[in-house]
Amino acid sequence: MGSVIESLHQQLVNKEISCEALVKGKLDALKASDYNASNYILDDYALDLAKKVDAKIAKGERIGLLEGIPFGVKDVYLLQGTYSSASSDFLRKYNSPYTATAIQKLLDAGAIPVAKENCDSFGHGSSSENTVFGPVKNALDKGKVAGGSSGGSAVNVAKDFTTFSIGGDTGGSIRQPAGYNAIYGLKPTYGKISRFGLMAYASSTDCVGPIAQELDDIRIVLNTMSGKDVKDQTTFASEAIAEEAVSTGLAKGTKIGYYKNFIETEALDPAMKKQFKDMLAKLEAEGMEIVPLDFFDADILVATYYALAMAETASNLARLDGTNYGVREEGESLKEGYSVTRSENFTAETQRRIVGGNQVLSQGHSEEIYNKALALRAQISHHFDEDFKNVDLILSPVTPNPVPEIGNNLKDPMTMYLSDAYTVGFSLGGLPTLTAPLALETGVQITAAKRQEAKLFSCANFLKQVL
Ligand code: GLN
């Protein structure tokens, strides 16, 4: 089983490479890069840690599997000693007062953060163009978008500037950029990894997750970050996923579902439709049972997701008014000061979402929009519960279309929102779902019932073998 982490670990233990050289190599590559993938490069911070790892090795002490492994952090996680900007002017010089639980667990395991990574501001976007640090460029084609919102994290991994990166996924922000840059990206079951220290976008669907070139590295990093955290009441205790989950395939007769309306639609690119059907045919030939399923229209999923996500982000970002966090502009009155601070330091897309969210929540509209979206969400979740009584896994495209050129999304937010059609439903259901860089141009999305991450690994490995 391929694992970059494992192979670097062996090289460190065998003294074939020093940790300082490994980390310096990544830092130099990050600095020389023109992909706009990193907001801050953590030079001294990372080199100090690398020297400590080398000292341990020199003394003959044992080092853990993740010790000395360089990784990237989406710039929406707090990491004490670094700025956490959320790719906004608001927080450009905001010093992290503490470290997010998920990142702390990686630090405790000895992994070394080398960059805070560019993303759509506060997670608002699907292309990593909604950022004050310049649009992130796709790792495979610089004229195209990186995807978003965790675009910088995906590009750094795809270019090998980081061994793995930690993204955040509210409605597809790990899976979609992973697909656009042809690597693996996992959104775990909601609550499997603590959100403490992740800047909240839509708290009810926000998830922490790993991005990596190899499936086994996704597993290693997931196991390290998972678990109950008293600082996030939605977390639950979970068992580590064994290596066998990755190396075993799927038993004959495994029931693989797909949503007919996701595939039999004009909205799906014809070449990608064919790639998806070819994949199903191969799986059938391998003895899998393919089960067509009915589902909600993609438009309903997108509308439900955006009504709730905007409402939640409007509430979450109300705390940014110039008083406690980031910049403060003065006005004639306190109220005007708030207003100037917020209008000058949020991007246009973030302002659109705050205005939309407050509208959704306002008196007279909330019953019609917010409560309706909550009711629909309950129906969507129930639908998933029923589907997973009949199938083991659900496969779908990650996106309806190939990777867009830089510049197009900004002109038309509606088209951008619709590009999330295949990812947002699974977020509303809190399900574990993985992008594998296989079969389709922007990857295939593998989804299982809650807490069934192990099945995603077996399926991805199987697909890799048979496609
Ligand atoms: N593109 C989606 C949005 O803008 C998802 C973003 C995310 O997962 N953070 O809401």
Side-chain angles (χ1 to χ4, degrees):
M1 187 49 50
S3 160
V4 183
I5 293 173
E6 179 73 44
S7 117
L8 287 173
H9 174 69
Q10 285 311 329
Q11 290 175 49
L12 288 171
V13 170
N14 299 339
K15 300 189 181 152
E16 287 158 25
I17 182 174
S18 72
C19 187
E20 196 177 339
L22 171 64
V23 167
K24 189 152 187 320
K26 299 293 183 201
L27 292 170
D28 289 347
L30 285 163
K31 279 186 253 174
S33 142
D34 63 353
Y35 286 86
N36 288 340
S38 307
N39 296 348
Y40 310 101
I41 296 169
L42 308 178
D43 247 324
D44 297 344
Y45 185 109
L47 285 171
D48 275 356
L49 291 172
K51 284 178 194 151
K52 286 184 187 145
V53 175
D54 282 333
K56 254 179 110 171
I57 297 171
K59 275 195 256 162
E61 285 177 35
R62 231 189 110 256
I63 60 160
L65 184 56
L66 277 172
E67 216 158 334
I69 305 297
F71 73 104
V73 182
K74 182 178 182 180
D75 204 14
V76 287
Y77 288 96
L78 300 185
L79 169 61
Q80 205 171 34
T82 72
Y83 291 132
S84 297
S85 74
S87 294
S88 69
D89 281 326
F90 221 119
L91 300 175
R92 215 185 246 270
K93 288 266 143 57
Y94 176 65
N95 271 312
S96 315
Y98 55 89
T99 298
T101 299
I103 307 302
Q104 187 61 51
K105 286 186 171 193
L106 293 167
L107 294 180
D108 293 346
I112 299 182
V114 288
K116 296 297 293 290
E117 297 168 324
N118 201 355
C119 56
D120 285 302
S121 199
F122 297 100
H124 297 156
S126 314
S127 65
S128 294
E129 293 168 286
N130 172 31
T131 156
V132 298
F133 291 88
V136 186
K137 299 174 198 167
N138 189 284
L140 307 168
D141 178 345
K142 282 187 180 167
K144 294 191 172 161
V145 301
S149 61
S150 313
S153 307
V155 169
N156 278 341
V157 168
K159 297 304 296 179
D160 214 14
F161 298 155
T162 59
T163 303
F164 64 90
S165 285
I166 305 306
D169 190 311
T170 304
S173 278
I174 288 176
R175 290 161 282 158
Q176 189 255 37
Y180 279 6
N181 294 282
I183 46 179
Y184 291 93
L186 172 73
K187 180 200 100 61
T189 306
Y190 180 77
K192 189 171 167 71
I193 302 177
S194 170
R195 288 174 290 118
F196 180 74
L198 161 65
M199 289 184 203
Y201 165 13
S203 314
S204 75
T205 64
D206 285 346
C207 288
V208 179
I211 301 175
Q213 287 191 17
E214 295 289 344
L215 199 51
D216 207 34
D217 291 334
I218 296 278
R219 182 188 66 87
I220 293 166
V221 177
L222 172 71
N223 283 343
T224 308
M225 294 192 296
S226 300
K228 199 164 172 52
D229 178 14
V230 288
K231 295 173 185 148
D232 175 356
Q233 294 299 312
T234 63
T235 51
F236 56 85
S238 57
E239 301 240 315
I241 294 165
E243 199 179 338
E244 294 76 67
V246 183
S247 48
T248 42
L250 295 178
K252 284 209 190 312
T254 298
K255 290 184 177 169
I256 296 183
Y258 75 95
Y259 289 126
K260 281 182 287 183
N261 61 318
F262 278 12
I263 307 306
E264 305 307 338
T265 165
E266 301 269 291
L268 177 60
D269 174 76
M272 289 165 70
K273 184 184 290 189
K274 181 172 181 312
Q275 289 162 348
F276 190 83
K277 288 187 170 172
D278 289 350
M279 174 184 70
L280 292 184
K282 280 201 186 131
L283 286 170
E284 197 158 27
E286 290 291 327
M288 304 298 129
E289 188 181 330
I290 305 297
V291 186
L293 299 165
D294 293 312
F295 200 43
F296 291 84
D297 280 348
D299 290 6
I300 294 180
L301 299 174
V302 172
T304 304
Y305 167 79
Y306 274 100
L308 296 175
M310 288 191 188
E312 291 189 35
T313 205
S315 306
N316 279 324
L317 293 182
R319 76 190 68 174
L320 293 180
D321 59 11
T323 310
N324 291 315
Y325 313 96
V327 295
R328 177 189 182 88
E329 318 283 349
E330 297 301 332
E332 297 274 294
S333 62
L334 181 63
K335 203 168 159 193
E336 203 201 303
Y338 290 160
S339 159
V340 177
T341 302
R342 287 167 66 82
S343 354
E344 288 185 2
N345 294 291
F346 283 130
T347 63
E349 180 60 31
T350 294
Q351 291 186 39
R352 185 157 34 241
R353 292 178 186 216
I354 292 173
V355 171
N358 284 322
Q359 170 89 359
V360 164
L361 291 172
S362 61
Q363 201 172 13
H365 288 99
S366 62
E367 297 76 11
E368 207 183 309
I369 312 176
Y370 183 69
N371 292 353
K372 195 168 165 188
L374 283 181
L376 270 163
R377 179 181 190 171
Q379 288 179 36
I380 292 165
S381 294
H382 178 71
H383 205 291
F384 286 133
D385 291 344
E386 293 300 308
D387 287 343
F388 281 111
K389 286 181 186 158
N390 300 319
V391 299
D392 302 297
L393 292 153
I394 292 175
L395 297 186
S396 51
V398 178
T399 60
N401 286 296
V403 187
E405 305 283 323
I406 287 179
N408 289 352
N409 272 335
L410 294 179
K411 283 183 233 145
D412 182 4
M414 265 319 276
T415 307
M416 180 176 84
Y417 300 160
L418 285 169
S419 75
D420 298 333
Y422 300 148
T423 50
V424 293
F426 301 125
S427 295
L428 292 170
L431 303 178
T433 166
L434 171 81
T435 287
L438 302 166
L440 284 78
E441 199 173 326
T442 61
V444 58
Q445 187 177 205
I446 310 168
T447 307
K450 280 186 190 156
R451 308 192 186 198
Q452 301 295 312
E453 273 81 359
K455 288 187 184 168
L456 306 179
F457 289 97
S458 308
C459 180
N461 183 47
F462 182 77
L463 285 173
K464 199 174 158 195
Q465 307 302 323
V466 302
L467 293 178

